[in-house]
Amino acid sequence: MSDGATLIQLLTALTQPDTNTIRQAEAALKPVLKNPASMITLWQVIADTSQPIAVRHVGAIILRKRLTAHYSNFDAQTKLEWQKNVLNVLASEQQRPVRSGLIGVAASLAQVEQSATQPYLEFLTAAANEANHQARELCFLLLSEMTDTIGLHWKEHIPSLMSFFTHVLNNPQENTVVHKAAVQAIGQLMAFWADEPEIESLAPLLPILLQVAGNSSVGQADDDFLSTVLDVLYELAYSPAPSLSQYMPITVEFALTCLVTQQLEMRVRDSAALVIATTAEAKSKAFGRHEALLGAVLDALFTLVQNSNDSAAGALFESNPAWKADL
């Protein structure tokens, strides 16, 4: 049996619903994957569209974990070829599970490289400007996966990234999936840079980010997406950046909308309440100056307490660590 056939057999075993079969396959794979040459064989399986989706997907997951261990031993040309091959296949991949796995591989290579290499810059620029909305979505999905790498090592490319985000977020005709991917990517980067000078460059995008998030998700009750956005707002609540202060009212208004939307899951509404409580604590003086906003929060709180047995309003107190100790 060839190396490729053996590898396919082991990857297939990893997709089976039997614990013993999976354990045996994992044990058999360990010595195989220690050989750098196995990375090429594994890649050939992943890139072969005739293979089952599940096999290609699990292959991509393994490649992400194992390739970086061998990558530092490759020469410069081999590294460049790996980057090009992964990005080229990623650009043309039609199966979402496999594409998700390949995004992970591409992000892991970028993390090892640290600096922005030409293949990545070209790929992101081309994808962001592609007519196909799935390609544009892919650009932002990859940026999301690369948050740490961008936050630590790509600071000089902020202007280019800003142009990607600004163009998409300000386009009302943009496909919803692209809008959501862009919001998540810029949100994660904002959270990463919340206490860093770079947040000043991203802060002007917060109003349009909240507008797009609200239009795309609140009415549709997209709980997971809204949870991600609210997590970002929580991280920004304590940010000392002066440029964020002016957006405190719209941040609270967005969270308040989530809090009172009964179609959302309680965990999302609790997160919204936590954003409001944390913002009120971190920026108490500024919050107090907005009497209408403060009144709206109190009205919502009393209404929820009155009308709900398991009200999210309680999170304004119970979910806030600083306040909970005083109750």
Side-chain angles (χ1 to χ4, degrees):
M1 186 179 294
S2 67
D3 291 342
T6 300
L7 193 55
I8 290 171
Q9 186 180 62
L10 293 174
L11 293 175
T12 301
L14 291 178
T15 68
Q16 303 306 303
D18 180 76
T19 303
N20 289 331
T21 300
I22 293 173
R23 286 176 178 172
Q24 291 173 13
E26 289 175 339
L29 272 171
K30 282 185 179 180
V32 173
L33 297 175
K34 290 180 179 179
N35 183 354
S38 67
M39 297 297 99
I40 297 296
T41 307
L42 182 57
W43 175 249
Q44 291 170 343
V45 174
I46 297 167
D48 183 359
T49 56
S50 68
Q51 295 298 328
I53 295 173
V55 169
R56 298 175 64 215
H57 181 214
V58 75
I61 293 173
I62 292 173
L63 185 65
R64 176 180 186 171
K65 295 178 179 178
R66 298 289 185 164
L67 179 58
T68 53
H70 299 295
Y71 192 76
S72 60
N73 297 321
F74 297 156
D75 59 42
Q77 184 59 37
T78 302
K79 291 179 179 178
L80 191 63
E81 289 302 316
W82 265 108
Q83 294 172 49
K84 290 180 178 179
N85 287 336
V86 170
L87 293 172
N88 285 340
V89 173
L90 175 58
S92 60
E93 182 56 54
Q94 298 299 309
Q95 302 297 334
R96 292 188 76 89
V98 181
R99 188 175 72 168
S100 176
L102 289 173
I103 288 172
V105 175
S108 67
L109 291 183
Q111 186 175 34
V112 176
E113 285 289 341
Q114 296 188 350
S115 62
T117 62
Q118 200 60 32
Y120 279 86
L121 295 175
E122 292 177 354
F123 175 87
L124 291 169
T125 300
N129 293 284
E130 180 60 57
N132 187 321
H133 77 270
Q134 291 182 333
R136 298 195 300 278
E137 178 195 20
L138 180 59
C139 169
F140 297 108
L141 291 176
L142 180 55
L143 288 174
S144 291
E145 196 70 22
M146 291 171 56
T147 297
D148 288 3
T149 300
I150 294 170
L152 292 172
H153 307 294
W154 284 36
K155 295 179 180 180
E156 71 272 22
H157 296 286
I158 289 178
S160 297
L161 297 174
M162 283 290 292
S163 69
F164 294 163
F165 292 124
T166 302
H167 176 72
V168 167
L169 293 178
N170 284 287
N171 180 6
Q173 278 75 48
E174 182 58 88
N175 190 284
T176 300
V177 298
V178 182
H179 266 161
K180 288 184 177 181
V183 166
Q184 184 163 341
I186 188 63
Q188 290 180 186
L189 203 52
M190 283 180 169
F192 190 93
W193 279 334
D195 298 324
E196 302 295 331
E198 287 75 20
I199 190 61
E200 300 291 343
S201 298
L202 303 184
L205 289 177
L206 187 57
I208 187 63
L209 182 152
L210 294 178
Q211 180 182 332
V212 170
N215 292 342
S216 301
S217 304
V218 175
Q220 300 175 16
D222 190 335
D223 297 285
D224 291 337
F225 177 71
L226 287 172
S227 290
T228 300
V229 175
L230 291 166
D231 286 345
V232 171
L233 298 181
Y234 175 77
E235 294 294 333
L236 296 180
Y238 285 113
S239 174
S243 58
L244 287 174
S245 299
Q246 61 184 307
Y247 304 126
M248 187 271 291
I250 62 172
T251 297
V252 174
E253 288 169 0
F254 178 86
L256 188 59
T257 299
C258 294
L259 175 63
V260 300
T261 301
Q262 296 183 4
Q263 292 85 352
L264 296 176
E265 294 179 5
M266 191 57 66
R267 63 182 176 89
V268 180
R269 299 170 69 193
D270 280 349
S271 294
L274 182 58
V275 169
I276 297 171
T278 306
T279 303
E281 181 182 14
K283 299 178 172 64
S284 57
K285 291 183 179 180
F287 200 110
R289 287 195 293 268
H290 291 271
E291 294 183 5
L293 184 62
L294 182 58
V297 171
L298 291 175
D299 286 345
L301 173 61
F302 292 136
T303 300
L304 288 170
V305 169
Q306 180 179 3
N307 297 330
S308 176
N309 293 328
D310 55 348
S311 172
L316 281 170
F317 302 100
E318 288 293 337
S319 298
N320 188 290
W323 295 1
K324 187 175 182 179
D326 297 330
L327 294 178

